[in-house]
Amino acid sequence: MKPSFVISLTLCSISAAVGQEILSDPGTLGPALETIHLFYDQWLTGFTVSASGHIFVNYPPVFPNSINFTVGEIVNGREVPYPNLEINTPPGGRLNYSTNPPTSSNSEDHLIGVISVITDTEDRLWILDSGRVASTEGLAETAYGGPKLIGMHLTHNTIFKKILFDQTAVPADGYLNDVRIDLNPALTPSGQGVAYISDNSPEGRTAIVVVDLGSGAASRKLVGDPSISSHPGFVPFIWGEAVYSNSSSISHFSVGVDGIALSADGSTLYYCPAGGRSLYGIETKYLLDNSHNSDVLSRSQIQVLGDKGLSDGLETDSNNNIYGGNMEDNSIIKFNPKTGLVQPFVRDPRLSWTDTLSVATDGYLYFTENQLWRAPIYWGGIDRRVKPYAMFRVKLPDGGVKVSRPRRE
Ligand SMILES: *[C@@H]1O[C@H](CO)[C@@H](O)[C@H](O)[C@H]1NC(C)=O
Ligand SMILES: *[C@@H]1O[C@H](CO)[C@@H](O)[C@H](O)[C@H]1NC(C)=O
Ligand SMILES: *[C@@H]1O[C@H](CO)[C@@H](O)[C@H](O)[C@H]1NC(C)=O
C-alpha cells in the first residue's frame, strides 16, 4: 500500500468517530450551588450560621503560615476577628519557642488554633480550640490551657462557659477536631448537656471525647478503635489524582475520626474517619455510660453502616438525613438511617473537599470547599491550593431545617 492511502483511510475513520454521541458523566446533580462567600486570605475549615444569619468561621493554623485570627465573622462580606482581635492574639505568639521542639501556646485566655465552631439548639456559639499549631517541623504538641471548649452568648458576645482539657482528656498529641452538642438535661447529673468531640490525633491516639457541659468532666471513648482510625492503605482519588501523604517520605493518606453528627433526636452519634469511606454509628447511651464494662460494651455496639465515600464533616437536618462529602465523586451524599441507603444529593465539578457542612434555620445546607487535599503536606511541600476557597449553600430537600432539640425536662 502507498503511505498516502493509509493516511487518508485513518483520517476518514477519525472524522466518522467525532460525530458519535458517547454516553458520558453528566457531572452535576441536584440543586444548583449558591455562592455565599469567597475566601481570598486565610484558609478556613469550620463555620456556622446563627439563627439571625450571622456566619462565624474558623481558621486553624495547621499549616506553617501565619494567621491574624483563628475565629472570625463575615460582616458585610468582610472577614473580621470574632469576638475581637485581642482574644485571637495569644501573647508571645501561637507557638512557644522556649521549649525544644516548640509547643503550642498555653494561654487559656486566648484562642490558639480553632478547628470548629457550631451553634447549638439555643443559638449559642461553641468554639472548639484544638490548642495545636503547626511549626515548620509539623504540628507542635499542646500545653494545658490550649485545648478548650468555649461557649458564647451571641446577644452580647460574652463567654458563659470555658472548659479546659487536661492531658487525660486530650493527650499533648491529641487533636480535637469537631464537636456536636446535645443540651438534653437528662443526659448527665449536671443537667447542662453534653458535647461529643472527635479526636483525630495525627499520631493515632484517636477517641471520641464525651464532655459534661456542666461539670467539664471529659472521658475518652472507643480509644483507638478501628472505626475511628484511618483505614490501612487508603488512597483517595480526587479530580483524577491519587492523594498520598507526601513530605519527607510518601505514606498512605491517614486521618482518623473526623466527621461526627447526632441523629435529630440525639440518640445516635454518626461518625467517620477521613482516612476511609465508611460510615459508623453508635447509640449515645453507650458513650454516656461510664460503668465498669462500658468500654467493652460500647465497642460491641458500633454500627457499621456501609460505604458513603470519603467525607470530612457530617451534618444532620430535621428530617434526620445525614449529609457528608463524597470527595471522590465531587458530590455530597445523604444517608437515611431509616432505609440504610446512601444517595447522592448534590454534585458539581467545583466540589473536591467538602470540609464542613452546616444546616441553618433558613432551610439551607451550607458547606465549605477548602481544597485541603491540595495542601503542601500532600505534595512534597508544594502548596497547590488556589484561592479563593468557597462557601456555598443549597436548599435542603423535603422542607428540612436545622434540628431543634428543645431541652427536655
Ligand atoms: C493580616 O495582617 C496583615 C498585616 O497587618 C494584613 O496585610 C492582612 O490583610 C491581614 N489579613 C486578614 C485576613 O485580616
Ligand atoms: C512556654 O513554655 C514554658 C515552659 O514549659 C512555660 O513555662 C510557659 O508558660 C509557656 N508559655 C506559653 C505562652 O505557652
Ligand atoms: C510528591 O510531591 C512531589 C513534589 O510535588 C511530586 O513531584 C510527586 O509526584 C509527589 N508524589 C506523589 C506520590 O504524590
Side-chain angles (χ1 to χ4, degrees), residues 222 225 282 286 294-303:
L222 307 180
D225 192 85
I282 185 167
Y286 297 111
S294 60
D295 183 56
V296 169
L297 179 60
S298 59
R299 288 173 202 263
S300 77
Q301 297 299 319
I302 293 167
Q303 305 160 13

PDB file of all heavy atoms in Angstrom, residues 222 225 282 286 294-303:
ATOM      1  N   LEU A 222     -14.064   4.727  72.973  1.00  0.00           N
ATOM      2  CA  LEU A 222     -13.703   3.973  71.759  1.00  0.00           C
ATOM      3  C   LEU A 222     -12.234   4.192  71.384  1.00  0.00           C
ATOM      4  O   LEU A 222     -11.868   4.131  70.199  1.00  0.00           O
ATOM      5  CB  LEU A 222     -14.591   4.354  70.564  1.00  0.00           C
ATOM      6  CG  LEU A 222     -16.113   4.278  70.738  1.00  0.00           C
ATOM      7  CD1 LEU A 222     -16.810   4.684  69.436  1.00  0.00           C
ATOM      8  CD2 LEU A 222     -16.555   2.871  71.163  1.00  0.00           C
ATOM      9  N   ASP A 225     -10.173   2.638  68.441  1.00  0.00           N
ATOM     10  CA  ASP A 225     -10.963   1.610  67.763  1.00  0.00           C
ATOM     11  C   ASP A 225     -10.771   1.711  66.241  1.00  0.00           C
ATOM     12  O   ASP A 225     -10.638   2.829  65.716  1.00  0.00           O
ATOM     13  CB  ASP A 225     -12.451   1.797  68.107  1.00  0.00           C
ATOM     14  CG  ASP A 225     -13.284   0.600  67.672  1.00  0.00           C
ATOM     15  OD1 ASP A 225     -13.344  -0.368  68.452  1.00  0.00           O
ATOM     16  OD2 ASP A 225     -13.824   0.618  66.548  1.00  0.00           O
ATOM     17  N   ILE A 282     -23.166   4.869  66.652  1.00  0.00           N
ATOM     18  CA  ILE A 282     -23.290   4.212  67.958  1.00  0.00           C
ATOM     19  C   ILE A 282     -24.354   4.956  68.748  1.00  0.00           C
ATOM     20  O   ILE A 282     -24.444   6.206  68.673  1.00  0.00           O
ATOM     21  CB  ILE A 282     -21.943   4.173  68.721  1.00  0.00           C
ATOM     22  CG1 ILE A 282     -22.095   3.373  70.019  1.00  0.00           C
ATOM     23  CG2 ILE A 282     -21.399   5.568  68.985  1.00  0.00           C
ATOM     24  CD1 ILE A 282     -20.785   3.012  70.686  1.00  0.00           C
ATOM     25  N   TYR A 286     -24.383   4.445  74.993  1.00  0.00           N
ATOM     26  CA  TYR A 286     -23.159   3.668  75.262  1.00  0.00           C
ATOM     27  C   TYR A 286     -21.962   4.580  75.473  1.00  0.00           C
ATOM     28  O   TYR A 286     -21.030   4.233  76.190  1.00  0.00           O
ATOM     29  CB  TYR A 286     -22.895   2.672  74.129  1.00  0.00           C
ATOM     30  CG  TYR A 286     -24.006   1.653  74.003  1.00  0.00           C
ATOM     31  CD1 TYR A 286     -24.861   1.652  72.905  1.00  0.00           C
ATOM     32  CD2 TYR A 286     -24.219   0.713  75.013  1.00  0.00           C
ATOM     33  CE1 TYR A 286     -25.892   0.738  72.805  1.00  0.00           C
ATOM     34  CE2 TYR A 286     -25.252  -0.207  74.924  1.00  0.00           C
ATOM     35  CZ  TYR A 286     -26.090  -0.185  73.821  1.00  0.00           C
ATOM     36  OH  TYR A 286     -27.112  -1.088  73.734  1.00  0.00           O
ATOM     37  N   SER A 294     -18.107  -0.545  80.421  1.00  0.00           N
ATOM     38  CA  SER A 294     -18.631   0.303  79.347  1.00  0.00           C
ATOM     39  C   SER A 294     -17.715   0.325  78.120  1.00  0.00           C
ATOM     40  O   SER A 294     -18.194   0.452  76.994  1.00  0.00           O
ATOM     41  CB  SER A 294     -18.883   1.722  79.862  1.00  0.00           C
ATOM     42  OG  SER A 294     -17.681   2.287  80.326  1.00  0.00           O
ATOM     43  N   ASP A 295     -16.420   0.185  78.333  1.00  0.00           N
ATOM     44  CA  ASP A 295     -15.510   0.227  77.178  1.00  0.00           C
ATOM     45  C   ASP A 295     -15.770  -0.972  76.264  1.00  0.00           C
ATOM     46  O   ASP A 295     -15.941  -0.830  75.053  1.00  0.00           O
ATOM     47  CB  ASP A 295     -14.057   0.238  77.651  1.00  0.00           C
ATOM     48  CG  ASP A 295     -13.095   0.356  76.480  1.00  0.00           C
ATOM     49  OD1 ASP A 295     -13.231   1.324  75.705  1.00  0.00           O
ATOM     50  OD2 ASP A 295     -12.239  -0.530  76.310  1.00  0.00           O
ATOM     51  N   VAL A 296     -15.850  -2.143  76.871  1.00  0.00           N
ATOM     52  CA  VAL A 296     -16.094  -3.366  76.097  1.00  0.00           C
ATOM     53  C   VAL A 296     -17.489  -3.322  75.467  1.00  0.00           C
ATOM     54  O   VAL A 296     -17.671  -3.610  74.282  1.00  0.00           O
ATOM     55  CB  VAL A 296     -15.944  -4.612  77.015  1.00  0.00           C
ATOM     56  CG1 VAL A 296     -16.437  -5.865  76.318  1.00  0.00           C
ATOM     57  CG2 VAL A 296     -14.494  -4.767  77.438  1.00  0.00           C
ATOM     58  N   LEU A 297     -18.464  -2.907  76.255  1.00  0.00           N
ATOM     59  CA  LEU A 297     -19.845  -2.875  75.757  1.00  0.00           C
ATOM     60  C   LEU A 297     -19.976  -1.900  74.578  1.00  0.00           C
ATOM     61  O   LEU A 297     -20.556  -2.241  73.541  1.00  0.00           O
ATOM     62  CB  LEU A 297     -20.795  -2.469  76.884  1.00  0.00           C
ATOM     63  CG  LEU A 297     -22.275  -2.365  76.497  1.00  0.00           C
ATOM     64  CD1 LEU A 297     -22.802  -3.715  75.987  1.00  0.00           C
ATOM     65  CD2 LEU A 297     -23.114  -1.882  77.683  1.00  0.00           C
ATOM     66  N   SER A 298     -19.409  -0.688  74.709  1.00  0.00           N
ATOM     67  CA  SER A 298     -19.575   0.308  73.640  1.00  0.00           C
ATOM     68  C   SER A 298     -18.940  -0.191  72.345  1.00  0.00           C
ATOM     69  O   SER A 298     -19.519  -0.034  71.265  1.00  0.00           O
ATOM     70  CB  SER A 298     -19.008   1.662  74.060  1.00  0.00           C
ATOM     71  OG  SER A 298     -17.641   1.548  74.371  1.00  0.00           O
ATOM     72  N   ARG A 299     -17.779  -0.825  72.439  1.00  0.00           N
ATOM     73  CA  ARG A 299     -17.145  -1.326  71.203  1.00  0.00           C
ATOM     74  C   ARG A 299     -17.994  -2.406  70.541  1.00  0.00           C
ATOM     75  O   ARG A 299     -17.958  -2.572  69.326  1.00  0.00           O
ATOM     76  CB  ARG A 299     -15.739  -1.865  71.506  1.00  0.00           C
ATOM     77  CG  ARG A 299     -14.744  -0.755  71.799  1.00  0.00           C
ATOM     78  CD  ARG A 299     -13.405  -1.320  72.255  1.00  0.00           C
ATOM     79  NE  ARG A 299     -12.647  -0.332  73.004  1.00  0.00           N
ATOM     80  CZ  ARG A 299     -11.692   0.444  72.488  1.00  0.00           C
ATOM     81  NH1 ARG A 299     -11.382   0.351  71.225  1.00  0.00           N
ATOM     82  NH2 ARG A 299     -11.055   1.316  73.250  1.00  0.00           N
ATOM     83  N   SER A 300     -18.759  -3.145  71.340  1.00  0.00           N
ATOM     84  CA  SER A 300     -19.596  -4.209  70.772  1.00  0.00           C
ATOM     85  C   SER A 300     -20.862  -3.644  70.134  1.00  0.00           C
ATOM     86  O   SER A 300     -21.594  -4.363  69.470  1.00  0.00           O
ATOM     87  CB  SER A 300     -19.970  -5.224  71.856  1.00  0.00           C
ATOM     88  OG  SER A 300     -20.994  -4.692  72.687  1.00  0.00           O
ATOM     89  N   GLN A 301     -21.130  -2.353  70.358  1.00  0.00           N
ATOM     90  CA  GLN A 301     -22.373  -1.760  69.870  1.00  0.00           C
ATOM     91  C   GLN A 301     -22.180  -0.848  68.659  1.00  0.00           C
ATOM     92  O   GLN A 301     -23.097  -0.143  68.243  1.00  0.00           O
ATOM     93  CB  GLN A 301     -23.029  -0.952  71.005  1.00  0.00           C
ATOM     94  CG  GLN A 301     -23.436  -1.793  72.194  1.00  0.00           C
ATOM     95  CD  GLN A 301     -24.461  -2.859  71.831  1.00  0.00           C
ATOM     96  OE1 GLN A 301     -25.380  -2.597  71.057  1.00  0.00           O
ATOM     97  NE2 GLN A 301     -24.285  -4.064  72.352  1.00  0.00           N
ATOM     98  N   ILE A 302     -20.971  -0.835  68.106  1.00  0.00           N
ATOM     99  CA  ILE A 302     -20.691   0.026  66.946  1.00  0.00           C
ATOM    100  C   ILE A 302     -21.453  -0.496  65.731  1.00  0.00           C
ATOM    101  O   ILE A 302     -21.429  -1.692  65.434  1.00  0.00           O
ATOM    102  CB  ILE A 302     -19.168   0.053  66.664  1.00  0.00           C
ATOM    103  CG1 ILE A 302     -18.453   0.756  67.816  1.00  0.00           C
ATOM    104  CG2 ILE A 302     -18.865   0.726  65.328  1.00  0.00           C
ATOM    105  CD1 ILE A 302     -16.948   0.583  67.827  1.00  0.00           C
ATOM    106  N   GLN A 303     -22.152   0.398  65.079  1.00  0.00           N
ATOM    107  CA  GLN A 303     -22.899   0.024  63.865  1.00  0.00           C
ATOM    108  C   GLN A 303     -22.052   0.348  62.635  1.00  0.00           C
ATOM    109  O   GLN A 303     -21.604   1.483  62.479  1.00  0.00           O
ATOM    110  CB  GLN A 303     -24.209   0.817  63.791  1.00  0.00           C
ATOM    111  CG  GLN A 303     -25.086   0.677  65.023  1.00  0.00           C
ATOM    112  CD  GLN A 303     -26.097   1.823  65.145  1.00  0.00           C
ATOM    113  OE1 GLN A 303     -26.309   2.592  64.202  1.00  0.00           O
ATOM    114  NE2 GLN A 303     -26.713   1.930  66.312  1.00  0.00           N
TER     115      GLN A 303
END
